[in-house]
Amino acid sequence: MSTRALILRAAALILLVAFVTMPQLFAFAFAPLTANNAPAIYNQGSLLALTLSHVRIVVLATLASTLLALALGIFVTRPAGREFLPLSRSLVNIGQTFPPIAVLAIAVPLVGFGEKPTFIALFLYGLLPIFENTLAGLTEVSPRTLEAARGMGMNARQRLWQVELPLALPLILAGIRLSVIISLGTATIGSTVAAKGLGEVIIAGLQSNNVAFILQGGLVVALLAVLLHDGLGLIERAAARRLGRPVDEIA
């Protein structure tokens, strides 16, 4: 990443932190977007608390998606699990087949309002990219590499943990990055079922016809997406360099 890009990302991080911790400092910028003396800054809760809640549910859902998708990806690339590949693909595609709002509608009667239905929706929605990238990473490991590891006396478990997973790591991280970015945007709909998050700001703006609120919620989500995308991208490129792979292979 160039020096200019790093400066821009640092500026975006400073702007994000400043806005969620001291939003009133930016009231002058949003005031022209209001009408009828409406508040320029969201005043129905703490932007910092909502941002932390938003990130928290995304992180928890992504961790759960990663654990299941990684386990399935490993299982179906083993000789004993290859016949279950079509079934596994069908399972991880559930989240992409049904819109998140439909998952919420189904989950609310089962688990109630709040974070739980949002977690379920994000968990299901995040499975596919992680699973497919895990599958691609593991299947792209050279048979010669595996044969060399076998010749060194490694058993199947050692080959998996010491050879296959390290070589597949950049692609797995790319899938996790995509899952996080998808979840960040999707999590905003969780506020329709009383989950704490930045969707509250956007919905409040829609209900009161306050464009300033809508823009504030969207701006924070967008900055989070950019910063997390770049941060996870740096980790992917570092992993690729350790393996001696061109970084554009995982871009």
Side-chain angles (χ1 to χ4, degrees):
M1 188 180 291
S2 67
T3 303
R4 182 179 178 182
L6 285 173
I7 293 173
L8 289 174
R9 297 305 184 262
L13 177 59
I14 293 171
L15 176 63
L16 175 62
V17 173
F19 182 67
V20 298
T21 55
M22 299 174 289
Q24 291 299 331
L25 293 179
F26 299 85
F28 70 94
F30 294 97
L33 301 174
T34 63
N36 301 321
N37 295 318
I41 298 296
Y42 182 71
N43 59 355
Q44 300 173 28
S46 166
L47 276 176
L48 177 59
L50 291 175
T51 301
L52 293 176
S53 295
H54 195 97
V55 172
R56 175 177 169 274
I57 190 67
V58 168
V59 169
L60 291 176
T62 301
L63 285 175
S65 297
T66 299
L67 289 175
L68 180 57
L70 193 59
L72 281 175
I74 292 172
F75 176 65
V76 299
T77 55
R78 306 304 97 185
R82 284 174 186 157
E83 61 182 288
F84 295 97
L85 176 57
L87 175 61
S88 297
R89 273 211 165 103
S90 298
L91 289 174
V92 300
N93 269 294
I94 290 176
Q96 302 289 334
T97 302
F98 295 98
I101 195 68
V103 177
L104 289 177
I106 296 171
V108 166
L110 299 175
V111 299
F113 288 89
E115 286 192 350
K116 290 181 180 179
T118 306
F119 174 87
I120 293 171
L122 298 182
F123 165 71
L124 292 176
Y125 219 56
L127 285 171
L128 183 61
I130 303 174
F131 174 79
E132 290 295 344
N133 277 41
T134 299
L135 199 62
L138 291 175
T139 55
E140 286 181 7
V141 176
S142 169
R144 291 184 180 180
T145 301
L146 294 176
E147 188 60 36
R150 190 178 293 108
M152 293 171 61
M154 290 186 181
N155 57 34
R157 179 173 297 180
Q158 290 172 324
R159 291 195 299 272
L160 171 64
W161 288 102
Q162 298 179 33
V163 178
E164 294 180 72
L165 285 176
L167 289 175
L169 183 60
L171 276 175
I172 295 172
L173 290 173
I176 294 172
R177 172 167 56 109
L178 180 56
S179 180
V180 168
I181 301 308
I182 291 173
S183 294
L184 270 174
T186 306
T188 55
I189 68 171
S191 297
T192 61
V193 292
K196 291 292 182 182
L198 293 165
E200 280 191 21
V201 185
I202 297 173
I203 291 174
L206 292 172
Q207 291 176 338
S208 61
N209 198 27
N210 190 329
V211 179
F213 286 4
I214 298 172
L215 184 59
Q216 286 159 37
L219 178 64
V220 175
V221 172
L223 286 174
L224 282 172
V226 169
L227 292 169
L228 286 174
H229 180 277
D230 286 350
L232 293 172
L234 287 174
I235 297 173
E236 291 168 39
R237 287 189 285 274
R241 289 192 189 97
R242 288 188 62 185
L243 297 173
R245 292 174 52 185
V247 295
D248 59 354
E249 286 186 15
I250 62 168

